[in-house]
Amino acid sequence: MTNVAVVGAQWGDEGKGKVVDWLSSRADVVVRFQGGHNAGHTLVIGDRTFKLSLLPSGVVRPGKLSVIGNGVVVDPWALMREIEQVRGQGVEITPETLVIAENAALILPVHGAIDRAREVARGASAIGTTGRGIGPAYEDKVARRAVRVCDLADPPLLRTKLDDLLAHHNLFLTGLGAEPMDRDAILAELDGVADRVLAHAGVVWERLDQLRRAGKRILFEGAQGAMLDVDHGTYPFVTSSSTMAANAAAGSGMGPGTVGFVLGITKAYTTRVGSGPFPTELHDEIGQRLGERGREFGTVTGRRRRCGWFDAVMVRQAVKTGGINGIALTKLDVLDGFDSLKLCVGYRHRDATLHHLPSAQAAQAAVEPIYEEMEGWGASTFGARSWADLPATAIKYIRRIEELIEAPVALLSTSPDRDDTILVRDPFVD
Ligand code: GDP
Ligand code: IMO
Ligand code: MG
């Protein structure tokens, strides 16, 4: 038996939440290790729908431990709102069921203000961030001035750190013509949540080490996706953390050997929300049809997601750079009823044929997809629960994807519902 890391293999929203929720029945602990409430993970369990941003997707299963690791940036107010919302849906969340790393960095109101002010200042070249302050919070962490969860228990230190933080950021905000932030107002707001956050604070690395040694199974839940990774993604149109499974270890305080099987969550087509290059994007009625059938609207910001054909070059790159051992192919049902389907098998750039996405911004924007066409299937795959229920042409499409990306399909998802999932190979079994 091994642990499993679930990561996005495209630009996010691949269905990580659904897959983590399904897999969590086989795990004891679910750990978020990066990102923050820029993530939006949807779980559909019968007639109940949960929309989670910061809480690990195992939180809805009784008896599982949920952990927010040190690599996550935590907005304490967003966290408390989410806990209340999920409690309102009948889920029990206590300091016994949810532990937050005491060394995780906080997202403060100043971070959201900077994020949004910067996006306005960027004008046409805006990244299209979620405006949640993710980037500025990670910057402060790396700049060694972040306020961390444990600082909430030390009011004098908190005051000094906020002074230091605001001395830096208010210069920038006023320079942009935005309102400066008031230290006492932030302190008062923090005072309103500090005790509730601290009730969940813990020494996560030690807890996870104990659980690991006791043979408990750990499921790491990534946010965003490989192409939003700060190193390997479509920089600068990326998020500000490493979204790769390698970061599951550092972002939770465990050794790299504990990560185990890396399951890349992959949509049967491609979507992206926000700006940046997207070689297989479709601006025609096919793109529109994918968006409508797939209900491609962002969970966090409600923005329409851009849609396009499956990009095997990009997913193969995610498999290689992220050490993906197998994929969970999701939303196959969205492709039901198309006469033919296209798979991107290479890029044309000037006179060259590329089998990777180049790093240069201009080249990323200029590459043109080289397509291979495949026959579609008329029959429905929606809600299929066994491989035998799939049309032969759908199986052919899946097999061709496996070949192109050089990774096997371990799991197949055929509807938003938890139970409409086909297990091909159990990622927890070595
Ligand atoms: P995440 O960010 O990776 O967790 O993905 P999101 O939850 O943001 O977006 C995925 C959306 O697709 C959600 O609304 C899911 O309920 C839905 N979904 C997941 N798997 C499937 C599937 O196999 N078929 C269909 N039709 N919808 C799915
Ligand atoms: P989940 O976990 C899709 C995108 C934003 C923007 C860029 C930077 O649900 O898959 P940020 O606010 O992180 O600084 O924004 O990253 N983005 C996501 N896109 N799914 C997500 O999370 C995302 N989180 C951030 O749209 O383009
Ligand atoms: Mg999402």
Side-chain angles (χ1 to χ4, degrees):
M1 287 298 179
T2 184
N3 298 322
V4 174
V6 163
V7 291
Q10 292 154 317
W11 275 295
D13 301 326
E14 300 92 347
K16 297 177 291 295
K18 167 177 169 165
V19 173
V20 170
D21 168 54
W22 190 83
L23 284 175
S24 66
S25 74
R26 293 155 193 257
D28 302 291
V29 192
V30 183
V31 186
R32 272 285 304 272
F33 57 89
Q34 48 73 232
H37 65 313
N38 49 348
H41 298 173
T42 312
L43 282 50
V44 180
I45 304 162
D47 55 6
R48 293 194 303 167
T49 298
F50 295 92
K51 290 185 185 297
L52 304 175
S53 281
L54 262 172
L55 293 173
S57 296
V59 80
V60 301
R61 284 197 196 260
K64 310 290 173 186
L65 178 66
S66 294
V67 172
I68 295 180
N70 54 275
V72 175
V73 279
V74 182
D75 178 319
W77 302 278
L79 176 68
M80 287 305 137
R81 279 196 302 274
E82 192 173 326
I83 289 178
E84 287 316 315
Q85 176 207 313
V86 173
R87 275 193 185 134
Q89 291 184 272
V91 173
E92 200 187 6
I93 299 177
T94 67
E96 281 67 50
T97 63
L98 173 68
V99 183
I100 305 168
E102 57 177 11
N103 52 344
L106 295 184
I107 299 184
L108 299 173
V110 66
H111 297 126
I114 295 168
D115 192 357
R116 294 185 292 272
R118 257 192 215 151
E119 283 286 274
V120 171
R122 281 192 190 107
S125 55
I127 291 167
T129 71
T130 59
R132 300 290 197 266
I134 305 293
Y138 275 119
E139 288 167 32
D140 273 355
K141 174 176 170 171
V142 177
R144 295 166 291 195
R145 55 173 174 256
V147 174
R148 300 187 300 166
V149 168
C150 51
D151 299 335
L152 293 173
D154 187 347
L157 177 73
L158 197 54
R159 197 169 300 119
T160 319
K161 289 191 88 165
L162 279 179
D163 278 335
D164 174 39
L165 200 83
L166 292 181
H168 183 83
H169 291 313
N170 276 342
L171 271 178
F172 174 78
L173 282 173
T174 49
L176 280 180
E179 283 296 306
M181 306 288 291
D182 179 51
R183 181 252 268 164
D184 290 336
I186 299 179
L187 273 177
E189 282 188 60
L190 279 174
D191 198 43
V193 288
D195 287 347
R196 281 182 288 160
V197 174
L198 286 170
H200 294 274
V203 186
V204 157
W205 66 265
E206 190 167 51
R207 189 78 182 270
L208 290 176
D209 183 57
Q210 285 159 357
L211 290 163
R212 182 186 62 79
R213 283 188 288 120
K216 301 293 181 193
R217 271 196 260 178
I218 304 170
L219 178 55
F220 298 96
E221 177 177 10
Q224 292 82 53
M227 287 298 135
L228 289 170
D229 179 270
V230 70
D231 283 286
H232 297 286
T234 44
Y235 194 90
F237 300 97
V238 293
T239 193
S240 298
S241 65
S242 166
T243 63
M244 305 291 195
N247 193 28
S252 58
M254 305 194 82
T258 53
V259 172
F261 191 94
V262 180
L263 184 66
I265 315 304
T266 312
K267 249 180 229 190
Y269 50 100
T270 313
T271 65
R272 164 162 218 175
V273 54
S275 322
F278 183 171
T280 63
E281 183 171 14
L282 293 166
H283 297 283
D284 56 9
E285 65 281 2
I286 297 177
Q288 206 168 343
R289 187 163 156 204
L290 287 171
E292 280 161 19
R293 288 188 53 86
R295 300 192 183 171
E296 298 295 355
F297 289 93
T299 319
V300 174
T301 57
R303 288 178 291 176
R304 183 188 285 274
R305 296 176 185 147
R306 301 154 62 192
C307 298
W309 293 122
F310 187 87
D311 188 339
V313 180
M314 201 178 82
V315 175
R316 179 177 164 276
Q317 194 160 324
V319 165
K320 303 295 177 190
T321 55
I324 290 172
N325 301 110
I327 67 162
L329 192 67
T330 62
K331 303 191 97 163
L332 185 73
D333 55 287
V334 174
L335 300 181
D336 291 352
F338 281 86
D339 291 334
S340 69
L341 302 166
K342 285 183 183 170
L343 293 169
C344 172
V345 297
Y347 300 130
R348 199 165 291 115
H349 183 50
R350 299 200 180 113
D351 295 332
T353 299
L354 303 180
H355 293 284
H356 72 283
L357 187 65
S359 297
Q361 233 176 295
Q364 286 191 350
V367 294
E368 284 178 25
I370 299 169
Y371 285 122
E372 184 177 290
E373 200 154 340
M374 293 197 74
E375 196 188 332
W377 51 92
S380 169
T381 66
F382 185 81
R385 292 190 185 178
S386 100
W387 198 259
D389 294 339
L390 301 174
T393 38
I395 293 176
K396 225 168 142 186
Y397 182 74
I398 298 168
R399 293 294 181 223
R400 185 64 184 136
I401 285 179
E402 288 180 317
E403 253 169 38
L404 290 169
I405 66 169
E406 298 178 39
V409 169
L411 225 73
L412 193 68
S413 167
T414 57
S415 101
D417 198 89
R418 173 194 271 179
D419 295 324
D420 294 333
T421 306
I422 301 171
L423 180 66
V424 183
R425 182 212 151 153
D426 188 343
F428 284 109
V429 178
D430 269 320

